[in-house]
Amino acid sequence: MRRVLAPLAGLILFAVTACGGTAAESNSSGSSSDDSSTTGDGVANETVPQCPFTAEQVSELVGQEMHDDGHCLWRDKEGIAMVTITMSTSSSGALTYDYQRSNAGETFKRVTELQNVDKGYIAVKDIGAEIVVISKAGSYTMNLSSFDWDLDKYEQTSRAMLDKILH
C-alpha cells in the first residue's frame, strides 16, 4: 500500500505547487501572485492560464443554469451536476499527462485522442467526462459530472467547451 500512496502523494504535492504554490504565495483570488518566473538564463517560464469561463458561459455550454461555486467550479441549482476546470502551465500538464491518460483508459468507457493540440483526450462515461489538453496557451483539465446525459452528449459538450478555450 505504501508503494502506491507515496508516488500518489508526490504527484498531488507537485500538482498543487505547480498550479499555484503555497497558500502564502497566493493572493485573495486564489491564483499565484507571480504567475511567471524565470529560468537561470533569464528566459520567462510559461504562465498559468486564467479560468476561461464565467457562470453564464458555462450555463450556455451545458444548456442549464450553473452557479459559480469557487475558482473555476460551477454547480447546478441542486448542487449535483458540476463542471470544474484546473489550469496549469503547459510543462506542468505535460509532466502529469501520461498518468492521467493511463487512468482515463481504465476509468472511462470511451477515450478519444484530440487532434490539433500538443497532447489531449476526451474521456466519457455514463456519469461524466474528463477533458485534458496541453497546448501552447497552457494545460487544462476539465471535468463534467452528474448531468443526465449519455456518452455522446458528454463528448459533444466537452468538445464545445474545448473549442471555446482554444479559439
Side-chain angles (χ1 to χ4, degrees):
M1 182 67 136
R2 196 179 314 175
R3 291 186 315 199
V4 172
L5 293 178
L8 183 58
L11 180 62
I12 291 169
L13 179 61
F14 172 78
V16 169
T17 58
C19 295
T22 66
E25 295 170 335
S26 296
N27 60 26
S28 62
S29 69
S31 62
S32 174
S33 58
D34 180 13
D35 285 339
S36 64
S37 60
T38 57
T39 60
D41 59 2
V43 176
N45 287 336
E46 303 170 55
T47 60
V48 175
Q50 296 296 315
C51 184
F53 299 119
T54 64
E56 294 78 25
Q57 292 168 318
V58 170
S59 297
E60 182 179 324
L61 288 162
V62 301
Q64 69 185 63
E65 187 175 353
M66 301 296 286
H67 301 277
D68 191 336
D69 202 19
H71 183 66
C72 242
L73 166 64
W74 302 273
R75 294 182 194 270
D76 67 357
K77 65 182 176 180
E78 289 85 23
I80 298 171
M82 182 173 62
V83 175
T84 62
I85 305 175
T86 305
M87 297 76 55
S88 65
T89 65
S90 297
S91 57
S92 293
L95 289 173
T96 59
Y97 180 83
D98 291 337
Y99 177 78
Q100 287 179 288
R101 177 60 182 86
S102 176
N103 280 343
E106 296 172 8
T107 307
F108 290 86
K109 185 168 185 147
R110 182 170 68 206
V111 181
T112 306
E113 302 301 322
L114 294 173
Q115 305 301 314
N116 302 322
V117 294
D118 293 345
K119 289 183 178 182
Y121 64 86
I122 293 177
V124 294
K125 57 184 173 181
D126 60 345
I127 61 167
E130 177 178 85
I131 308 95
V132 175
V133 63
I134 300 168
S135 70
K136 290 173 185 28
S139 176
Y140 299 88
T141 300
M142 297 180 279
N143 292 284
L144 292 79
S145 65
S146 302
F147 290 91
D148 189 21
W149 297 341
D150 62 11
L151 298 179
D152 292 333
K153 177 66 174 173
Y154 271 112
E155 185 163 347
Q156 175 187 23
T157 304
S158 298
R159 287 186 183 280
M161 294 182 82
L162 185 60
D163 285 346
K164 293 282 187 188
I165 288 173
L166 296 177
H167 296 105

